[in-house]
Amino acid sequence: MRAGTFPFSLNAIQTSDVGEIAGSYAAYLQLFASLNSCLRYSLLLRGLRALHAHILASGFKPRKHILNRLIDLYSKYGDILSARRLFDSTPQPDVVARTCLINAYSNAGDIGLARQMFDETPIFYRDTVFYNAMISGYSRSGEGLPGVFVFRRMLRDGVPPDEYTFSGVLSAAAYLINLNLVLCQQLHCAAAKAGTGYSVTVLNALIALYCKCQSFVAASHAQKVFDEMLVRDELTWTTMVVGYVRRGDISAARQVFDVMEERFDVVWNAMISGYVHCEQFFEAFEIFRRMQSLQLPLDEFTYTSVLSACANAGLFWHGKAVHAKIIRHGPDFDPKSALPVKNVLVTLYSRCHKLELARRIFDGIQMKDTVSWNAMLSGYVNSGCICDAREVFEQMPRNSQLPWMVMISGLVQNGFSEEALKLFNRMRGENVKPCDYTYAGIFSACGDLGALQHGRQLHGKHIQLGYESSNSAGNALITMYAKCGALADAHLVFLEMPNVDSVSWNSIIAAFGHHGHGDEAIELYERMINEGIYPDKLTFLTILTACNHAGLVDEGLQYFRSMEQDYGISPGEDHYARLIDILGRAGRIEEAENVIRSMPFEAGSSIWESVLAGCRIRGNMDLAVYAADKLFKMIPQYHGTYVLLSNIYASFGRWEDVARVRKLMRDRGVKKEPGCSWIEVENMVHVFLVNDTTHPGLRQVFSFLEVLGAKMRKLGYVPDTRFVLQDVKSERKEYVLSTHSEKLAVVFGLLNMPVEATIRVLKNLRICGDCHNAILFMSMATEREIIVRDGKRFHHFKDGECSCGNFW
DNA sequence: ATAGGGTTAG
């Protein structure tokens, strides 16, 4: 029967012979049952309804097997209401009808109603097929534990399992959260004992289960089962490929894939997602292209995987093209299968910073699941839209720890460390168990806030929970202790970590570097190389920063060269900027200019900012103006350029130019940072001072600076730059403090010295090396409040603790 | 009346 002939005519049934009528109906229903994949279900449903109406109109009393078949077909075609109505009108529905409804409910995703039907069925009714339907219902819904429980109950009730049972329970068990090898082996034995140990279906499911165990032993069991199989089908091979992919052994998967004679669509999809997981996006795309050229059917899994490749590689236009393809040529997915595609689209667009697009997709999802919410949340978080992220976070279901983790680490990354700690407390109040990454987030929050005591306590808690072997939290701990000035503790954490990775090395090198121990940083770097860990871009950035802070100019140059020569890592703009910074600070401006000329790409804003900062130290006015011009063109709204340039003019005493730059800034509507002026501290910490001199906090800072200045003079340090007191009255009758105000001169001069010297002074003041931390100790030593700004963060130091108080 | 494989957020 072809699609065009439906719905068919029922005129053929004209006889009044009851037996013949029943036979005709049964034959028609048989026909429907055999038409599973030939036609769209909506068309079939229309035909079925017509047939059903005909049966009702004929006054014929259908027997139970006909009714059951009707119920089954209604269920299959998704018309659960009709199936249920028919079921309810059936006198004493038997186990077959009940099984049909269990399937109908579980296929519709309502496993609760399926279970209700299961529970309502008396035990003496139940047979093997009935249990099988419930078990496979659970496995299709991804609910492992109840599936396994139903299986156990089946054995207890004395109903014999068959190969369907084991196929179902094995695939249900794959969803168990605490799946382990022992359970796999138990099920394996049970299947063998029940005499189903040679069924291809069962063994395929068993291989898949072993592969999901994620251990080498389990993987070898999977291999053994595979090797001992007498008959294998395409699915066996497919399962093996999927197993290799899951283990991350993409090349083994590819080998099998290439020799497979007949490939299921699934195996293509598995290869795409495998390549995505190994971050080989080009290969993933290659598979997708081959699928297209072979005109293989592309389903929602294909699209999800390939879009995920686009999202991870940041390929906006590729992703958009695939999206367009889905809209134009794609099959119309039912809402359930369309959901993952829409979810990954949200991720794709938010990763490409098209948040409005992402939001539009997100708003268009009727049945949002946790993945949708989390995708939108992390989209906002990663783009720094904390306000929107907060809103989403409050609206969404928060029963898993994931949104908490995303929100907490998002807050930390965007400079809301104190709020992150508050959220962490709220999380614990709501009895959500924090995961390891959450701890990583709050450790870095503590580091940002300089909250050493709090950090230590949480570290203790973390050890209690048995997380100490993890790397993400360990690496965060290194940085936390380093930022809090506890370099020894940072080192200890590093030494005690069972398996350090390149991030750990980078963190500990940065820790020593930031504390001014350039030599130790370099030594650690050499040890890392000796231990066979490959340095990455970040390592070099760290080591260059360390050289910069320690004033190790030639070493910096050497490592910069080594980067490309020895490791084939081409330096990025940030590496060049760091190098120029090093040269600039050493006053080697000509060399810095040469570096800019030799760069393989146009100098970007970070380069020119380094140049400008370099000029401030050994006043090269012409170059400063040149660099500032570049910056004005590239990022005209960036306030830093104006401030730096006017500072340089000020150090030459060219006050008209200072005024001109300030006017330029006003005319262009460049927003100054709210209510503060600033000085730069070794390129790391920016100290901002409130304009409003009546602010109590500012008076504190003034007196602190006086104390510091006095101590400095005592130690024999004389500020080496010209400082002039300049009080400019603005329209708002506030004081604008130039960075050259005499009271700031001390810090300014102090921080213009090489780091080694700074550290020495700070050490004499019983202050540790990290500038951020230095301020903390300064505030303790002088018993004053100090306000500091680090990047986007405002910190308020008082009584040896630091917080992000609403100071302004 | 029932079965085995693949997808998305971090």
Side-chain angles (χ1 to χ4, degrees):
Chain A
M1 174 172 293
R2 286 182 299 108
T5 63
F6 247 89
F8 52 83
S9 156
L10 294 167
N11 294 337
I13 306 173
Q14 280 172 342
T15 169
S16 56
D17 183 88
V18 174
E20 264 184 60
I21 291 177
S24 305
Y25 284 143
Y28 272 121
L29 286 166
Q30 181 69 45
L31 194 62
F32 271 106
S34 67
L35 279 175
N36 267 338
S37 57
C38 306
L39 294 162
R40 298 253 298 273
Y41 278 169
S42 56
L43 207 58
L44 285 170
L45 186 58
R46 248 196 298 164
L48 184 70
R49 281 185 182 144
L51 182 62
H52 189 190
H54 195 279
I55 294 174
L56 289 176
S58 70
F60 167 73
K61 279 263 179 309
R63 288 239 296 274
K64 200 162 256 177
H65 73 274
I66 292 210
L67 279 176
N68 283 346
R69 183 139 262 181
L70 273 168
I71 293 173
D72 177 40
L73 287 168
Y74 272 127
S75 312
K76 272 214 184 79
Y77 301 160
D79 188 353
I80 299 170
L81 283 177
S82 301
R84 179 75 208 204
R85 216 175 297 134
L86 209 55
F87 176 86
D88 286 337
S89 65
T90 310
Q92 291 174 329
D94 63 3
V95 68
V96 176
R98 290 164 190 277
T99 310
C100 290
L101 272 183
I102 287 182
N103 285 319
Y105 285 132
S106 67
N107 282 334
D110 201 334
I111 196 73
L113 279 175
R115 180 65 196 224
Q116 212 177 328
M117 180 56 68
F118 177 84
D119 288 334
E120 279 169 5
T121 306
I123 297 203
F124 57 86
Y125 266 35
R126 302 179 184 178
D127 61 3
T128 302
V129 180
F130 178 77
Y131 280 99
N132 290 353
M134 195 63 235
I135 293 171
S136 68
Y138 277 124
S139 97
R140 272 197 305 272
S141 320
E143 297 205 37
L145 204 56
V148 175
F149 279 164
V150 170
F151 170 70
R152 288 205 181 140
R153 181 135 159 224
M154 177 180 186
L155 298 186
R156 260 211 323 275
D157 292 346
V159 179
D162 61 3
E163 55 185 275
Y164 288 82
T165 319
F166 283 103
S167 311
V169 74
L170 286 167
S171 69
Y175 292 104
L176 286 174
I177 303 157
N178 45 1
L179 173 66
N180 56 46
L181 190 59
V182 177
L183 185 82
C184 296
Q185 285 173 315
Q186 279 173 350
L187 289 170
H188 191 170
C189 288
K193 238 164 90 183
T196 62
Y198 292 99
S199 150
V200 181
T201 329
V202 171
L203 292 176
N204 286 346
L206 190 62
I207 292 175
L209 189 65
Y210 274 130
C211 288
K212 277 206 177 133
C213 263
Q214 300 276 6
S215 80
F216 284 111
V217 187
S220 70
H221 277 280
Q223 190 70 46
K224 193 158 165 262
V225 172
F226 175 81
D227 290 340
E228 286 172 1
M229 275 172 87
L230 301 173
V231 185
R232 304 184 186 110
D233 63 7
E234 287 87 3
L235 248 161
T236 319
W237 291 96
T238 306
T239 312
M240 286 307 282
V241 171
V242 170
Y244 286 131
V245 165
R246 185 160 280 140
R247 244 179 287 163
D249 194 345
I250 191 78
S251 55
R254 183 61 190 247
Q255 267 175 11
V256 179
F257 177 81
D258 282 337
V259 297
M260 280 171 81
E261 282 171 12
E262 237 181 296
R263 301 190 188 98
F264 273 158
D265 301 341
V266 169
V267 81
W268 293 87
N269 295 343
M271 286 306 291
I272 295 180
S273 72
Y275 277 123
V276 173
H277 281 297
C278 299
E279 300 191 321
Q280 300 185 29
F281 306 120
F282 180 78
E283 306 288 345
F285 249 96
E286 193 52 43
I287 303 272
F288 180 65
R289 287 215 189 89
R290 263 175 74 192
M291 284 182 84
Q292 279 179 303
S293 62
L294 291 171
Q295 302 204 314
L296 294 174
L298 308 170
D299 62 6
E300 71 266 26
F301 292 98
T302 323
Y303 285 120
T304 312
S305 301
V306 81
L307 283 170
S308 161
C310 299
N312 283 306
L315 299 167
F316 172 67
W317 289 108
H318 280 70
K320 211 169 154 59
V322 175
H323 187 187
K325 194 179 160 64
I326 296 174
I327 293 170
R328 267 184 287 123
H329 307 295
D332 32 349
F333 301 125
D334 58 282
K336 215 170 110 192
S337 13
L339 185 59
V341 181
K342 287 189 176 171
N343 287 344
V344 77
L345 278 171
V346 172
T347 308
L348 167 75
Y349 287 133
S350 60
R351 288 252 177 99
C352 298
H353 302 288
K354 312 280 186 215
L355 282 163
E356 319 78 51
L357 266 173
R359 183 72 200 210
R360 217 177 303 153
I361 304 276
F362 176 76
D363 286 337
I365 305 176
Q366 291 99 0
M367 297 285 286
K368 298 180 182 64
D369 65 354
T370 52
V371 179
S372 328
W373 284 102
N374 285 324
M376 199 63 242
L377 177 70
S378 36
Y380 280 133
V381 161
N382 291 332
S383 304
C385 308
I386 287 296
C387 288
D388 295 301
R390 273 197 206 102
E391 202 178 307
V392 168
F393 180 78
E394 295 303 334
Q395 285 172 354
M396 70 190 288
R398 295 183 297 271
N399 35 20
S400 100
Q401 56 85 32
L402 195 98
W404 296 90
M405 187 262 279
V406 173
M407 196 65 212
I408 287 173
S409 51
L411 284 169
V412 177
Q413 272 157 34
N414 287 284
F416 300 93
S417 292
E418 187 162 272
E419 200 185 324
L421 286 182
K422 278 184 187 151
L423 194 62
F424 181 70
N425 284 337
R426 200 176 129 198
M427 178 181 183
R428 289 208 290 200
E430 294 190 17
N431 278 329
V432 185
K433 197 178 160 224
C435 75
D436 185 45
Y437 290 101
T438 314
Y439 271 101
I442 54 161
F443 287 148
S444 67
C446 290
D448 286 342
L449 296 169
L452 184 57
Q453 292 312 318
H454 199 57
R456 269 194 216 286
Q457 279 174 11
L458 290 165
H459 184 185
K461 186 87 196 155
H462 184 253
I463 293 171
Q464 265 178 24
L465 287 169
Y467 281 144
E468 76 266 54
S469 61
S470 93
N471 268 9
S472 53
N475 297 339
L477 271 170
I478 295 176
T479 309
M480 178 190 88
Y481 281 125
K483 279 195 178 173
C484 293
L487 188 57
D489 292 80
H491 204 184
L492 204 64
V493 171
F494 175 78
L495 292 174
E496 284 181 350
M497 276 170 74
N499 31 10
V500 288
D501 55 17
S502 63
V503 181
S504 327
W505 281 102
N506 288 349
S507 309
I508 193 70
I509 293 171
F512 276 96
H514 284 165
H515 279 76
H517 303 295
D519 296 329
E520 282 92 334
I522 287 172
E523 208 182 297
L524 275 164
Y525 169 79
E526 298 294 348
R527 253 204 10 240
M528 167 184 169
I529 301 297
N530 283 338
E531 293 197 10
I533 309 271
Y534 269 89
D536 55 15
K537 278 174 186 280
L538 211 73
T539 316
F540 282 105
L541 210 59
T542 309
I543 200 81
L544 286 172
T545 310
C547 291
N548 194 8
H549 284 170
L552 302 169
V553 184
D554 294 318
E555 287 83 348
L557 274 167
Q558 183 205 320
Y559 285 118
F560 186 84
R561 287 194 203 105
S562 148
M563 187 174 167
E564 184 141 42
Q565 278 170 16
D566 303 336
Y567 300 102
I569 302 171
S570 41
E573 191 173 332
D574 34 3
H575 297 99
Y576 276 106
R578 203 69 92 227
L579 182 66
I580 289 161
D581 225 43
I582 294 177
L583 292 169
R585 271 169 208 283
R588 289 154 72 164
I589 293 287
E590 292 78 23
E591 274 174 78
E593 287 180 83
N594 287 336
V595 169
I596 295 177
R597 271 185 221 108
S598 72
M599 271 171 30
F601 43 78
E602 275 294 294
S605 55
S606 62
I607 301 280
W608 291 117
E609 213 186 330
S610 290
V611 172
L612 193 59
C615 292
R616 193 193 53 193
I617 292 163
R618 300 288 155 110
N620 182 335
M621 203 61 239
D622 294 338
L623 189 61
V625 171
Y626 184 75
D629 263 351
K630 289 272 186 194
L631 284 169
F632 285 150
K633 282 195 189 102
M634 287 180 202
I635 38 172
Q637 289 299 308
Y638 176 56
H639 72 282
T641 315
Y642 299 88
V643 181
L644 257 177
L645 185 62
S646 64
N647 287 348
I648 298 170
Y649 276 129
S651 66
F652 278 85
R654 290 165 62 169
W655 302 113
E656 317 79 53
D657 289 313
V658 173
R660 192 170 51 77
V661 174
R662 286 189 185 280
K663 186 172 180 302
L664 195 67
M665 190 172 171
R666 267 200 307 278
D667 292 347
R668 289 183 186 168
V670 178
K671 282 197 196 86
K672 246 183 340 182
E673 289 296 318
C676 13
S677 176
W678 61 276
I679 54 173
E680 189 182 87
V681 181
E682 277 306 323
N683 221 22
M684 287 172 53
V685 179
H686 299 271
V687 178
F688 279 69
L689 301 174
V690 191
N691 288 345
D692 178 7
T693 48
T694 60
H695 196 291
L698 189 57
R699 283 206 300 276
Q700 305 263 17
V701 175
F702 273 128
S703 24
F704 145 67
L705 290 170
E706 275 162 15
V707 174
L708 186 63
K711 290 209 179 186
M712 259 195 80
R713 289 203 181 83
K714 237 192 214 161
L715 289 162
Y717 284 96
V718 181
D720 60 351
T721 322
R722 262 177 66 208
F723 302 103
V724 181
L725 184 69
Q726 189 206 14
D727 290 341
V728 181
K729 266 199 176 160
S730 76
E731 301 84 22
R732 287 178 297 162
K733 299 199 175 160
E734 287 168 351
Y735 278 102
V736 176
L737 296 169
S738 151
T739 49
H740 300 272
S741 153
E742 195 175 311
K743 284 167 184 166
L744 304 184
V746 193
V747 173
F748 197 83
L750 179 69
L751 298 161
N752 254 347
M753 295 185 299
V755 165
E756 288 296 357
T758 313
I759 303 292
R760 232 175 299 133
V761 178
L762 296 176
K763 269 186 184 150
N764 281 324
L765 291 168
R766 303 179 64 192
I767 289 166
C768 83
D770 189 307
C771 287
H772 178 280
N773 201 48
I775 314 269
L776 179 68
F777 281 80
M778 282 182 204
S779 82
M780 280 165 68
T782 56
E783 296 179 2
R784 308 277 173 178
E785 284 179 85
I786 302 174
I787 318 123
V788 165
R789 180 171 160 127
D790 176 4
K792 292 179 202 158
R793 301 164 195 127
F794 290 93
H795 299 317
H796 180 182
F797 294 84
K798 197 188 171 187
D799 300 330
E801 281 286 345
C802 176
S803 64
C804 291
N806 295 322
F807 204 80
W808 344 96

